[in-house]
Structures are given as C-alpha cells and as structure tokens.
Amino acid sequence: MRLAALAVAALLLAGCGESARRDGPVTVVFKHARMFGDDPVPRLVAAFEARHPGIRVKTEALGSASDEQHQFFVINLEGSLGPGRGPGFDVMMLDVIWVPEFARAGWLLDLTTSLAPGELDGHFPAAAAAARWSGRVWALPWNWNVGLLYYRADLLERHGLAPPATDVELTRAVRLIQGRERDPRLEGFLWQGKQYEGLTVNALESLWASGTDLLGPDGRVLPDPARAEEALYRLYDLIQRGISPDWVSAADEELSRRAFGDGRAIFLRNWPYAMDLFEGPGSPVRGRVGIAPLPRLRGDVAAPGATGGSLLGVSRASRHPEAAVALARFLASEEAQRVLAGGSVLPTLMALYHDPALLAKRPHMPVLHALSLVARPRPITPAYLMLSTSLQPELSAAVVGVKSPARAVADARRALEYALSGIR
Ligand code: GLC
C-alpha cells in the first residue's frame, strides 16, 4: 500500500515537468497569512516565475489570526484526499505549532528526499525542529518569531530608568512614569489576553518565568500546580493592580500593537514584526522604542520568550507536487529570506541576522538573534492545538478573575488529561 502510494507519487513527480512543457504552464496556489507592512510575497513570486516559465503561482491571503488559518486549513484538508478531490491549494504557510498534527493526518507531502543534504542547517534549530516529525521533514522553515518586551526608550530615559529586568522593576517604572507624565491615556504594560492562541503563548511565557511548564518531562500536564497558579495569578494581578489595562483580556497582537504604536503605552509584549511598524514613516513612536527580554518573575529564573513563526508545507493532494516543492524551496532559500528580512518579517536563517546590508536597514537584528537563541518552543506534538484550545477557556477565566488560579489550574489539568487520553 505504502509502496504503491510512493510509486504513484514518483510518477506524479516525474510527470509534472513533462506536462508543464506539453500543456503550457501549470498553476500552483500558495495560501499564506496576510503579511504586515511591505508585503514581500508578490516580489518573491515574480522572481520565482521568471525562473520557472512552466509554473504560474496564484497567491491567496488568509487573515492574520493563527486560529482562523488553522480552521481554514483543517476544513479544506480534511476532505482533500478522496479521489478527484483536492484542497484547492498546493503550498501552505503553516504556523510552527501545526506540522506534527498535519503530518500525522496525512495532509503534507513528505519533503525528506526532495531536499539537498544539510538544507535545514543554518535555520534556527527550533525552526528546523518544528519542520520534523517522526524522523521525516514535512515543511521548510520560513518566518521566525520570538516573544519580547518593547519599551518606550524616550520615556524611560526622561525619568532616568533602565529597561526593567523583573516584574518589580516594570511595576515601579509604570507607577513612576504614569505619576509624573499625568497623561490619563498612557497605559502601563500591554500583552495578549484574548481567548486564542496568543493567550496560550503569553501564559506559557508566564509558566516558564515561574520555573515550570505546560507538560513535564514525563508528559504530565501542569506538573507543578503551585507554580502554575503563581503564573496565572501574575497575569490576573497585572490587571488588578492597573499595571495592565483591563482590556488586555480582550487584546490580540494587533490591538495591543496599535495602542503601543499610537503612543498609548509604556511597555508591550509582542513579536518582532511590530518593531518595523513602530519605525515606519509617520509612526508616532518612531525612534522611541527599545527591545528587551521579557521581565523575570523572580530574579533567579529565566523568562524566555516563546518561539513562533511559520513554515511552508506542500499538500499531499497537490496535482503539481514538483512545482509546489520548487516554490516552497525557493521561498525558503537564502535569496528569498533576504527579501523577507528587508521587510517586517524575520527570516529563519541565522546568518542573515548579522548581514551588514540588512543591518543597515534593521539594526535590531542581532538583539533579536540573541533573544531567539534563549527562547523556548511550545510543546511539539500532534495534539498541540487540542491542548491549547482546551487550555484557553481556563486561562481566560483566570485572567479576568472569573475563576481563582487554583481552580483554573485544577480544571485545566482535568481538561488536558482528558484531551490527551484520546491520543495516547
Ligand atoms: C504569531 C506566531 C505564531 C503564533 C501566533 C499566536 O503569528 O508567529 O507562531 O502561534 O502569533 O497568536
């Protein structure tokens, strides 16, 4: 059965170039998230088409929220493998957390043998790890993200403060600056508390700062309940004390990025894409924003940011797998990542973070590289989305104070253990 499938795939691969020459260009569809700022995709696609006259690329953008993209892909891929069916796209931009799930479901073409030896070397190790599942390569690293703290460098300087290294310092800075600036519109610390994947990311970062994790080394869910309670209490307490406005419990990346970008907050937890928008022409905070590691909860426990970003996968139901693989490899290549790095997206290739030509345009890249090397991935498991979506209502209830952290942790453990029992 497997061999037959491989033989068919080999025939398809071998035949694709031929049919392109005989019947005119083939069209591959690339489904990707909407890009912020200066969208590099049209330029990259034009460069690819110029080099592959037998291939046309149609791009289709999805919304920017990871959860909605996931829903779109799952619905379309679920029905895609039957005879005569297809998902309607060939190459897809995958969030780092989806690859094991999609590979296990049989939706992705196994790219292992299509790649040159060492083709994944040079990418962030966490990005290459997100591409692999069960000893095979299912996707190519493309964009990189790392959670970090933005601060208003101008305000900190005006009040003689250094970027805060801990929650205590951050609190002190917020109180002092708000007290002296007397601007009722100036909020303290913004982050993402809406019930969605971003909340899971913020809560994981808080768990790590508490010295614990979502899954223990033995796979146990929330292995240290006391520290998990502390991590959730921390988020709730930021809002209770007014260090964060109560609307952070409904904020995603963009809502919080816009408020900070309008000059209405002192601190923001977000991803690197925001920096380029802060530095854009006409931005009220241009030249006034600094980047720092996330604040520690305790001085002696590290507070790594979460890793994020996306990879490129090829649908196993693609009718033009050879052309689709060629497109994915081109988009993930150093040449294409250099174009990405010139815009607001960060590349996964580490060498570009110290490339003099790019540094002239994005001077903060070495800092982002350093933060990336100490960052942590979310759990790599086909059950990730199920874990995260089971967790989100409990996190949200704790953040807004509908449940005590102890109750939310106990309920989360029960929900997650139940979700995992169906998988194990
Ligand atoms: C960013 C990250 C992605 C993460 C999402 C959460 O898009 O790149 O990995 O899942 O934010 O909102």
Side-chain angles (χ1 to χ4, degrees), residues 73 86 171 232 325 421:
F73 281 125
T171 296
L232 295 193
V325 170
S421 65

Side-chain angles (χ1 to χ4, degrees), residues 291-367:
I291 285 176
L294 294 173
R296 291 174 183 232
L297 178 52
R298 281 192 290 265
D300 58 344
V301 180
T307 57
S310 60
L311 299 96
L312 299 168
V314 172
S315 162
R316 199 156 69 87
S318 168
R319 268 179 273 146
H320 308 295
E322 191 189 19
V325 170
L327 174 64
R329 287 180 78 195
F330 170 76
L331 291 172
S333 69
E334 177 166 339
E335 177 190 349
Q337 292 217 1
R338 188 177 290 280
V339 174
L340 287 182
S344 65
V345 178
L346 278 184
T348 52
L349 283 168
M350 292 183 286
L352 295 175
Y353 287 72
H354 299 278
D355 183 283
L358 287 173
L359 289 192
K361 197 168 174 216
R362 299 181 81 180
H364 47 282
M365 282 184 75
V367 178

Side-chain angles (χ1 to χ4, degrees), residues 66 95-97 145 196-198 253 271 308-309 378:
S66 166
D95 195 328
V96 282
I97 50 186
N145 260 336
Y196 79 122
E197 180 55 27
E253 284 90 356
W271 306 107
R378 285 162 274 174

Side-chain angles (χ1 to χ4, degrees), residues 33 36 64-67 69 93-98 143-146 192 196-202 252-253 269-271 273 306-310 378 384-385:
F36 292 107
S64 52
S66 166
D67 308 56
Q69 295 156 22
M93 178 171 167
L94 306 168
D95 195 328
V96 282
I97 50 186
W98 304 341
N143 299 171
W144 179 253
N145 260 336
V146 57
Q192 295 81 44
Y196 79 122
E197 180 55 27
L199 174 57
T200 305
V201 170
N202 281 252
D252 60 9
E253 284 90 356
R269 181 262 168 228
N270 212 316
W271 306 107
Y273 81 95
T307 57
S310 60
R378 285 162 274 174
Y384 179 78
L385 252 281

Side-chain angles (χ1 to χ4, degrees), residues 63-351:
S64 52
S66 166
D67 308 56
E68 286 153 33
Q69 295 156 22
H70 182 262
Q71 202 171 18
F72 170 87
F73 281 125
V74 170
I75 289 170
N76 286 278
L77 289 163
E78 243 163 19
S80 72
L81 293 176
R85 316 276 292 273
F89 46 82
D90 302 276
V91 178
M92 45 191 146
M93 178 171 167
L94 306 168
D95 195 328
V96 282
I97 50 186
W98 304 341
V99 175
E101 178 195 357
F102 284 27
R104 192 171 106 135
W107 296 333
L108 297 177
L109 193 68
D110 182 344
L111 301 180
T112 316
T113 54
S114 310
L115 304 183
E119 193 162 329
L120 294 191
D121 297 354
H123 294 272
F124 281 114
R132 295 198 170 93
W133 173 247
S134 215
R136 314 290 296 172
V137 178
W138 303 95
L140 296 173
W142 196 40
N143 299 171
W144 179 253
N145 260 336
V146 57
L148 50 89
L149 182 74
Y150 289 101
Y151 59 89
R152 281 285 301 278
D154 57 333
L155 292 178
L156 260 58
E157 198 186 304
R158 191 184 309 160
H159 299 288
L161 297 166
T166 61
D167 279 17
V168 170
E169 288 174 18
L170 182 137
T171 296
R172 203 180 297 142
V174 168
R175 296 261 188 258
L176 193 131
I177 294 172
Q178 282 180 334
R180 290 192 190 156
E181 290 286 321
R182 299 184 176 281
D183 173 359
R185 287 174 66 249
L186 187 66
E187 305 288 4
F189 178 30
L190 306 183
W191 42 280
Q192 295 81 44
K194 177 179 151 179
Q195 189 177 319
Y196 79 122
E197 180 55 27
L199 174 57
T200 305
V201 170
N202 281 252
L204 276 174
E205 288 171 344
S206 196
L207 286 171
W208 298 332
S210 261
T212 185
D213 209 339
L214 177 58
L215 300 179
D218 54 358
R220 267 197 25 238
V221 171
L222 294 170
D224 187 337
R227 283 180 188 233
E229 285 167 30
E230 178 189 53
L232 295 193
Y233 182 77
R234 177 197 197 197
L235 297 177
Y236 162 80
D237 189 47
L238 281 169
I239 299 175
Q240 283 312 299
R241 288 185 295 129
I243 298 302
S244 300
D246 54 11
W247 59 260
V248 296
S249 64
D252 60 9
E253 284 90 356
E254 273 297 88
L255 194 74
S256 52
R257 193 272 301 167
R258 267 187 246 115
F260 185 91
D262 286 345
R264 286 191 283 121
I266 307 166
F267 299 107
L268 165 71
R269 181 262 168 228
N270 212 316
W271 306 107
Y273 81 95
M275 189 59 170
D276 299 275
L277 302 174
F278 299 150
E279 289 303 313
S283 158
V285 294
R286 189 174 185 168
R288 301 174 175 194
V289 178
I291 285 176
L294 294 173
R296 291 174 183 232
L297 178 52
R298 281 192 290 265
D300 58 344
V301 180
T307 57
S310 60
L311 299 96
L312 299 168
V314 172
S315 162
R316 199 156 69 87
S318 168
R319 268 179 273 146
H320 308 295
E322 191 189 19
V325 170
L327 174 64
R329 287 180 78 195
F330 170 76
L331 291 172
S333 69
E334 177 166 339
E335 177 190 349
Q337 292 217 1
R338 188 177 290 280
V339 174
L340 287 182
S344 65
V345 178
L346 278 184
T348 52
L349 283 168
M350 292 183 286

